[in-house]
Amino acid sequence: MPFEFDARAALIAGLWALTAAALIWIEILRLRRRQARDERIAAEVTARWHPILSLASFGIRPDTLPPLHKDEQAAFLKLWIYLQTSLRGDARAALSAIATELHCDSLTLRMLARGNRGDRLLATVVAGHLGLVPALRLLMVHAESRDSVLSLQALHSILRISPELAATLAPLCTRRGDRPVSQLLPSLRACSGWLLPPLVAALSDANEAHVERALQLIAGLRLSPDMDVQRRLLAQPSPALLPPLRALLGHGDSRVRAAAVDALARIGNPADIAPVAARLTDASWRVRNSAAHALLALPGGGLDVLRQAGLACGDRYGLNMTEHVLAEHRLAA
């Protein structure tokens, strides 16, 4: 069939392509103009408000404040947050007083309720620094959002406003894998007194990942479950316990290292033979002794494994310890 050229269809397609290209360029120009406008406003807000806020942080503030126009609000709040995070104590209180006088509290509530994502994120941070109690209901909603950045910031702000709600938020901390534990700890440390009971309760969760996060939080916050809880945990050969225990093999306290080796001897697996054997060169006699006995007890371990580990460790103290434990075993037999 010979090729037929439809000039009219080609012309229409070309017009549509030109129209699409024109619309794209118009949108690019619009975005550039908006960006330039936002940068200009931010520069003006900084020039006007930075000296006022800086002096206020030292207890010197003008009798009257200049007006804050609607198109300047976002830029002002960003500057205000920047200064808030740089200051402490009375200086922060002075900045909060200015923000309240400018009705930033009611503005924050509106942004939390009806703003776009950027507005909600900005308002979430402001609410925490202002200690805005009326914002708690909306912040609790955002804390459960699928947006991991927004939910994490909401959690930080809730704990700033009302630390006693930490126990209520504990399940969100243990069940949300998109929130790195390292990013949770700074806010949780200030309210750790409320967290031990819910975190201990989370150790009974059927989900191993939730249990592991609860253990990481307990360790990161340096909480101390009672001995009954510790015995119950050690009696459960749960895979979730192994990563935290293995991490403790390098702890700065020799007593902790020895206890970690002893625990691995009870609930570890063949993958733990190599890291435990490495403890034969530990500076502490107690840790070396625990490591030698653990190499006998671990699945896949035994006399030959201990003997080979002693010869391979390249440390005379480690070799002496393996010979000592082997001699004990021969005497016991």
Side-chain angles (χ1 to χ4, degrees), residues 28-47:
I28 291 173
L29 290 173
R30 188 184 69 82
L31 290 174
R32 286 181 176 175
R33 288 186 61 186
R34 180 176 177 180
Q35 182 180 8
R37 175 178 173 274
D38 290 344
E39 290 175 353
R40 175 179 56 78
I41 290 174
E44 292 173 356
V45 167
T46 301

Side-chain angles (χ1 to χ4, degrees), residues 3-313:
F3 175 75
E4 295 181 1
F5 178 73
D6 189 337
R8 185 171 180 275
L11 179 61
I12 292 174
L15 289 173
W16 275 112
L18 288 173
T19 302
L23 290 174
I24 291 172
W25 275 106
I26 290 171
E27 182 64 15
I28 291 173
L29 290 173
R30 188 184 69 82
L31 290 174
R32 286 181 176 175
R33 288 186 61 186
R34 180 176 177 180
Q35 182 180 8
R37 175 178 173 274
D38 290 344
E39 290 175 353
R40 175 179 56 78
I41 290 174
E44 292 173 356
V45 167
T46 301
R48 183 185 313 121
W49 285 101
H50 194 286
I52 295 173
L53 295 175
S54 296
L55 289 172
S57 68
F58 289 101
I60 306 169
R61 54 164 292 171
D63 295 332
T64 58
L65 296 173
L68 181 63
H69 302 294
K70 185 175 181 179
D71 58 355
E72 299 175 335
Q73 291 171 341
F76 173 83
L77 291 177
K78 290 175 183 177
L79 173 64
W80 184 85
I81 290 171
Y82 168 76
L83 293 174
Q84 272 281 358
T85 56
S86 306
L87 301 171
R88 295 290 182 272
D90 293 342
R92 281 184 169 179
L95 294 189
S96 295
I98 287 180
T100 302
E101 187 173 335
L102 294 171
H103 307 293
C104 291
D105 47 357
S106 56
L107 169 63
T108 299
L109 291 174
R110 290 197 302 273
M111 292 170 67
L112 278 174
R114 298 188 294 274
N116 57 34
R117 181 185 182 273
D119 288 344
R120 294 198 306 274
L121 190 56
L122 180 60
T124 295
V125 179
V126 173
H129 284 294
L130 274 178
L132 202 56
V133 174
L136 282 173
R137 182 181 61 82
L138 290 168
L139 290 173
M140 291 295 287
V141 173
H142 294 327
E144 297 182 3
S145 167
R146 292 183 180 181
D147 185 329
S148 59
V149 176
L150 179 60
S151 65
L152 182 62
Q153 291 300 329
L155 185 143
H156 288 325
S157 291
I158 291 168
L159 295 178
R160 281 181 179 275
I161 298 168
S162 189
E164 66 274 11
L165 290 176
T168 304
L169 296 171
L172 291 176
C173 297
T174 57
R175 296 173 187 171
R176 288 284 296 266
D178 58 342
R179 295 168 171 170
V181 170
S182 60
Q183 294 182 17
L184 291 171
L185 291 176
S187 291
L188 293 177
R189 284 195 182 103
C191 47
S192 57
W194 286 280
L195 284 169
L196 184 57
L199 289 179
V200 169
L203 298 178
S204 301
D205 197 306
N207 188 305
E208 296 289 355
H210 298 169
V211 175
E212 182 175 349
R213 284 178 64 81
L215 287 169
Q216 290 173 345
L217 288 168
I218 289 173
L221 295 170
R222 298 182 180 180
L223 301 176
S224 300
D226 60 37
M227 289 304 297
D228 289 339
V229 172
Q230 295 181 39
R231 291 191 188 98
R232 175 168 59 84
L233 290 174
L234 290 175
Q236 298 173 353
S238 169
L241 294 174
L242 293 177
L245 279 177
R246 289 165 180 161
L248 292 175
L249 291 176
H251 196 277
D253 191 324
S254 62
R255 294 169 297 179
V256 176
R257 297 197 301 275
V261 172
D262 293 338
L264 285 173
R266 295 178 57 188
I267 66 173
N269 57 47
D272 295 303
I273 289 176
V276 168
R279 290 295 101 196
L280 289 174
T281 62
D282 197 281
S284 167
W285 181 94
R286 181 178 179 181
V287 178
R288 296 196 301 273
N289 184 264
S290 293
H293 283 94
L295 289 173
L296 292 176
L298 278 166
L303 294 173
D304 289 339
V305 171
L306 175 58
R307 190 177 294 108
Q308 292 170 10
L311 293 172
C313 72

